[in-house]
């Protein structure tokens, strides 16, 4: 993306300096761009195809604002084209680098130590972590709660050779319990989602052992399958090189790297909400399940097919609780829509009530006039009728200029409201 880079050197305790070239976002602007109608949407979509370095944080949809990050080299041409088309915009952020820096501020060690001592937490929930650090924490959680947590590897390693870990959580023994899959971190830059997963897993294990009624209900009634970092190559890349990376890291050609994993599932694959340009952030790959990361989820799902009752695909940002179908360019609902809405609307209430965070509920088309094919929860519900399939877009709200760069001091609040909603889900589902 950017040609400007700088050396980020992390001094380790061993005084070894590890330096990586980090993309910078100096002078990148974040624009709020209003589409009056479908013509404007098509116009913006074409710009996205022609200039892959223009990053659509949120897609253009009719009578709505797209959130678009533009590098300084393309600002003039982009604004000129908007003016020509008569499209209006406002500048949300003048210098994205400042947002990135504010969002990567670390909570001081002493403060983290003090807070962890208060709560007895194994995991530092006051900072975001690298993939390797998350793997360390998963092992610590497993060691601390061996009866609650089983840690294993999914079938396929990634393009760059990383392992995708699966965390199975359970309470009382017993086979054939209904199962719930919680997938986070499929989009690399959505850091709040693996962080939420870590907090929720630790909360469940600790509360269960402390005889908390909610945790007991959740783990005794169900087996939970967490995939905390579904896309470890992409996630690692957001730490080492480019904070704004979304896709996996499959090499395609000199100008193209990465598949959008949440367009790669077998749900009307390759139809809506995609680009056939391999450099695009919404390139769906060459066919359904072409990628190890999505094939991992398919194989897990098939291996527990008769038990699985719910599939949660967790993303950021916008504060949405999305229900299927997501792939159609009109409102179309699955056969179990009434039951799905009964439960998810109760979940919505608690998402809002926990901290007063305004979440919104609906299909992607209802909320956004946007459809996207090949998404995980659509596939899960296609594969198994009656399933509780849903997609979260966590904090911040859709019009918040921080977008993917949510400061770490919002991890716990975000995770608490998410947790409250899955307590309701576990209590309400009819299985
Ligand atoms: C789009 O953004 C403009 C400028 O910030 C705002 O006035 C308008 O209300 C927004 N429209 C929608 C539909 O969000
Ligand atoms: Zn996402």
């Amino acid at each position: 993306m950017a040609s400007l880079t700088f050396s980020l050197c992390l001094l380790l305790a061993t005084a070894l300096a590890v330096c990586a070239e980090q993309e910078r976002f100096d002078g990148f602007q974040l624009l709020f761009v209003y589409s009056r109608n479908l013509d404007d949407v098509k116009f913006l979509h074409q710009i996205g195809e022609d200039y892959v370095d223009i990053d659509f944080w949120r897609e253009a949809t009719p009578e709505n604002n797209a959130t678009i990050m533009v590098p300084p080299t393309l600002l003039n041409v982009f604004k000129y084209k908007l003016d020509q088309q008569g499209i209006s915009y406002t500048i949300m952020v003048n210098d994205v680098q400042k947002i990135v820096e504010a969002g990567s501020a670390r909570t001081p060690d002493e403060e983290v130590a003090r807070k962890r001592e208060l709560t007895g937490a194994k995991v530092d929930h006051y900072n975001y972590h690298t993939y390797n650090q998350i793997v360390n924490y998963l092992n610590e959680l497993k060691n601390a709660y061996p009866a609650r947590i089983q840690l294993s590897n999914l079938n396929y390693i990634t393009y760059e050779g990383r392992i995708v870990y699966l965390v199975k959580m359970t309470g009382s023994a017993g086979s054939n319990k209904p199962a719930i899959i919680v997938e986070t971190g499929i989009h690399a830059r959505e850091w709040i989602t693996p962080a939420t997963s870590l907090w929720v897993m630790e909360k469940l294990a600790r509360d269960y052992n402390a005889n908390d009624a909610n945790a007991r209900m959740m783990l005794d009634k169900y087996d939970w399958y967490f995939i905390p970092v579904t896309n470890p190559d992409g996630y690692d890349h957001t730490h080492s090189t480019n904070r704004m990376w979304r896709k996996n890291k499959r090499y395609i050609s000199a100008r193209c790297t990465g598949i959008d994993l949440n367009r790669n599932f077998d749900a009307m694959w390759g139809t809506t909400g995609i680009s056939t340009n391999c450099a695009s952030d919404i390139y769906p790959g060459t066919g359904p399940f072409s990628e190890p990361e999505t094939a991992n989820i398919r194989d897990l799902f098939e291996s527990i097919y008769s038990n699985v009752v719910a599939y949660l695909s967790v993303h950021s940002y916008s504060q949405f609780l999305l229900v299927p179908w997501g792939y159609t360019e009109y409102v179309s609902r699955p056969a179990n829509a009434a039951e799905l809405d009964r439960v998810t609307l109760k979940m919505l209430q608690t998402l809002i009530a926990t901290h007063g965070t305004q979440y919104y509920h609906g299909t992607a088309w209802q909320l956004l006039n946007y459809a996207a094919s090949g998404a995980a929860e659509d596939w899960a519900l296609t594969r198994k009728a009656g399933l509780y399939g849903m997609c979260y877009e966590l904090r911040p709200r859709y019009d918040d200029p921080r977008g993917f760069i949510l400061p770490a001091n919002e991890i716990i609040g975000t995770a608490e409201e998410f947790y409250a909603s899955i307590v309701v889900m576990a209590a309400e589902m009819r299985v």
Side-chain angles (χ1 to χ4, degrees):
M1 187 186 280
S3 51
L4 290 171
T5 56
F6 77 113
S7 258
L8 177 79
C9 298
L10 301 164
L11 281 172
L12 302 181
T14 57
L16 251 175
V18 179
C19 301
E21 293 297 309
Q22 282 267 10
E23 301 266 3
R24 291 185 60 97
F25 299 92
D26 300 292
F28 282 57
Q29 286 188 353
L30 197 63
L31 303 179
F32 221 35
V33 181
Y34 188 74
S35 293
R36 293 158 298 184
N37 49 41
L38 213 52
D39 270 358
D40 288 352
V41 170
K42 284 185 181 146
F43 181 82
L44 288 170
H45 187 77
Q46 190 57 44
I47 291 182
E49 294 280 295
D50 295 344
Y51 299 91
V52 289
D53 287 346
I54 292 179
D55 183 352
F56 285 66
W57 284 17
R58 297 188 61 232
E59 293 293 330
T61 59
E63 293 176 44
N64 217 327
N65 289 300
T67 304
I68 305 178
M69 184 176 74
V70 186
T73 49
L74 291 174
L75 275 171
N76 280 341
V77 66
F78 184 63
K79 290 175 178 174
Y80 177 75
K81 282 175 182 285
L82 294 185
D83 288 343
Q84 271 197 324
Q85 172 79 5
I87 291 181
S88 64
Y89 60 88
T90 52
I91 299 170
M92 293 175 93
V93 177
N94 240 314
D95 185 1
V96 173
Q97 180 66 21
K98 291 206 172 68
I99 300 274
V100 170
E101 280 166 19
S104 38
R106 295 199 57 90
T107 307
D109 288 351
E110 319 84 76
E111 194 182 330
V112 173
R114 193 158 27 84
K115 287 178 161 162
R116 284 172 72 177
E117 192 155 322
L118 275 174
T119 58
K122 302 285 169 208
V123 181
D124 166 10
H125 299 294
Y126 308 92
N127 287 297
Y128 292 109
H129 305 295
T130 62
Y131 166 76
N132 287 334
Q133 186 59 51
I134 290 175
V135 174
N136 289 341
Y137 281 131
L138 294 179
N139 278 291
E140 282 189 39
L141 285 176
K142 179 196 73 172
N143 294 335
Y145 302 101
R148 301 283 78 79
I149 292 181
Q150 296 160 38
L151 186 59
S152 62
N153 306 351
L154 291 175
N155 280 352
Y156 307 105
I157 61 163
T158 62
Y159 183 81
E160 292 179 350
R162 290 189 180 81
I163 290 169
V164 183
Y165 287 93
L166 174 69
V167 177
K168 180 180 177 185
M169 295 194 66
T170 193
S172 61
S175 50
N176 282 323
K177 285 199 283 184
I180 296 164
I181 298 175
V182 182
E183 161 241 295
T184 52
I186 201 169
H187 284 145
R189 61 191 172 185
E190 299 167 7
W191 284 8
I192 186 61
T193 71
T196 295
S197 190
L198 270 178
W199 188 89
V200 165
M201 290 186 291
E202 178 159 26
K203 165 91 173 159
L204 265 174
R206 198 173 54 209
D207 280 9
Y208 186 95
N209 285 6
N211 263 317
D212 172 80
N214 285 335
R216 288 262 155 185
M217 177 271 291
M218 292 161 82
L219 291 184
D220 285 342
K221 201 166 164 191
Y222 302 97
D223 290 330
W224 295 73
Y225 293 84
F226 291 89
I227 313 168
V229 189
T230 305
N231 171 18
D233 292 354
Y235 186 74
D236 188 75
H237 193 65
T238 59
H239 283 268
S240 68
T241 310
N242 182 351
R243 179 65 184 83
M244 297 302 170
W245 194 258
R246 167 180 166 100
K247 303 188 285 183
N248 75 356
K249 287 301 306 300
R250 175 186 293 282
Y251 177 85
I252 302 165
S253 71
R255 54 177 280 279
C256 295
T257 298
I259 311 297
D260 183 353
L261 297 173
N262 206 38
R263 299 289 184 277
N264 190 243
F265 289 83
D266 191 7
M268 299 292 278
W269 178 89
T271 56
T272 53
I274 57 113
S275 168
T276 54
N277 178 350
C278 62
S280 162
D281 255 353
I282 49 173
Y283 176 64
T286 52
F289 298 116
S290 58
E291 303 311 296
E293 296 87 352
T294 50
N296 273 333
I297 292 174
R298 176 199 59 201
D299 288 8
L300 168 67
F301 193 97
E302 300 300 342
S303 74
I304 56 172
Y305 183 85
S306 56
N307 294 338
V308 63
V309 294
Y311 188 99
L312 279 52
S313 178
V314 186
H315 295 254
S316 73
Y317 63 95
S318 283
Q319 295 173 196
F320 291 160
L321 181 54
L322 295 164
V323 286
W325 305 112
Y327 56 65
T328 55
E329 285 179 332
Y330 52 95
V331 180
S332 162
R333 304 301 313 281
N336 66 336
E339 170 61 5
L340 191 54
D341 287 354
R342 183 187 68 80
V343 174
T344 50
L345 283 168
K346 287 194 171 161
M347 295 166 71
L348 177 78
Q349 282 170 15
T350 183
L351 275 168
I352 295 170
T354 305
H355 293 298
T357 307
Q358 186 61 56
Y359 270 79
Y360 304 84
H361 175 278
T363 67
W365 192 256
Q366 283 170 325
L367 287 177
L368 292 166
N369 280 312
Y370 181 71
S373 58
E377 74 283 1
D378 273 1
W379 168 76
L381 184 47
T382 311
R383 185 70 191 88
K384 189 169 182 183
L387 185 103
Y388 295 83
M390 64 197 79
C391 173
Y392 285 78
E393 297 281 359
L394 301 179
R395 294 188 195 181
R397 208 169 83 143
Y398 59 85
D399 54 359
D400 191 312
R402 297 169 305 171
F404 302 105
I405 319 293
L406 187 69
N409 64 11
E410 293 206 33
I411 292 171
I412 293 179
T414 304
E416 282 171 342
E417 61 209 17
F418 175 84
Y419 182 83
S421 75
I422 62 173
V423 171
V424 168
M425 180 186 76
E428 288 288 338
M429 280 194 297
R430 294 180 180 137
V431 296

